[in-house]
Amino acid sequence: MQTPDPAHQLADHIEAMRLATFRARLSPPEGPAGQWILDLGDEMAAPNRPQLLLNFFDPDSFGALWVAGELVPHAHERPFATRLLSGRYAQWLYHRDETGTLHIVEKMHVAAGQIYGLGSERIHLILMPAEGTLSLSIRGPARGPAGTAPQPPLPEDAAARIRERMLAALRDAPPAKAALLGIWD
């Protein structure tokens, strides 16, 4: 008997979620980044617990933020490990010198199937996500600076559109080995 693909299992889980629950668990990331984060845990975000998150990268939002000059290098308040389920993006890693100036130390391309982690002190910038880019992340307890204030839920129609795009990307994701995700079986 073949085990169902984890991305399809995740799509089934999201599809079974009431839209109100989906909206309540959907939030933008810390600072402007053009992606939506879905908290897959049983509780809402709390600084003292790890979180399992689905990240949906919206190329249109990234483009608009880039044009507006709002897409900037940033650090996260929580360390995280992520695995790209589908799509790809470019990521730049930075070092801040003693004068506060940022210097690019690595430019990398991350594609479906790859895994990486960043500590709360690492500064990075994600650029040019492909349509349908999704990652599954485990985010640890807060260690860095205080996060942003909670955002109000999206309007229902906007949440429904994001949900449909997430589901389409999950259903189109290449098969993944459950052991690599570390959460199934």
Side-chain angles (χ1 to χ4, degrees):
M1 182 166 106
Q2 189 174 14
T3 303
D5 183 69
H8 289 162
Q9 287 180 318
L10 188 52
D12 291 344
H13 175 72
I14 292 168
E15 202 164 42
M17 218 183 261
R18 290 184 24 237
L19 184 57
T21 302
F22 179 86
R23 284 177 63 210
R25 292 180 177 209
L26 187 68
S27 65
E30 301 127 0
Q35 78 192 61
W36 293 96
I37 298 173
L38 181 63
D39 187 344
L40 297 170
D42 291 332
E43 303 170 24
M44 295 309 292
N48 60 348
R49 75 167 176 90
Q51 291 176 288
L52 180 62
L53 307 168
L54 179 66
N55 303 288
F56 173 69
F57 298 84
D58 181 14
D60 295 336
S61 295
F62 271 83
L65 289 167
W66 181 261
V67 169
E70 295 178 15
L71 193 59
V72 297
H74 60 278
H76 294 266
E77 68 175 337
R78 297 172 177 229
F80 67 91
T82 194
R83 181 182 197 274
L84 251 62
L85 297 177
S86 63
R88 65 188 178 286
Y89 54 71
Q91 177 172 237
W92 294 357
L93 300 176
Y94 295 82
H95 167 74
R96 186 181 311 274
D97 68 20
E98 61 280 348
T99 68
T101 304
L102 288 178
H103 302 277
I104 296 173
V105 294
E106 185 176 357
K107 292 181 181 179
M108 53 195 289
H109 294 276
V110 184
Q114 291 183 296
I115 300 170
Y116 69 90
L118 290 178
S120 57
E121 73 287 347
R122 282 309 297 257
I123 300 168
H124 78 137
L125 176 63
I126 292 175
L127 300 164
M128 303 175 299
E131 185 65 41
T133 298
L134 290 165
S135 72
L136 189 63
S137 297
I138 297 174
R139 187 162 67 175
R143 291 191 194 168
T148 58
Q151 301 293 315
L154 282 177
E156 190 170 311
D157 60 333
R161 282 192 304 273
I162 289 170
R163 181 181 181 172
E164 289 307 312
R165 290 176 66 195
M166 276 186 180
L167 289 171
L170 281 167
R171 301 255 188 245
D172 291 342
K177 292 189 175 19
L180 288 177
L181 295 176
I183 60 171
W184 282 277
D185 296 318

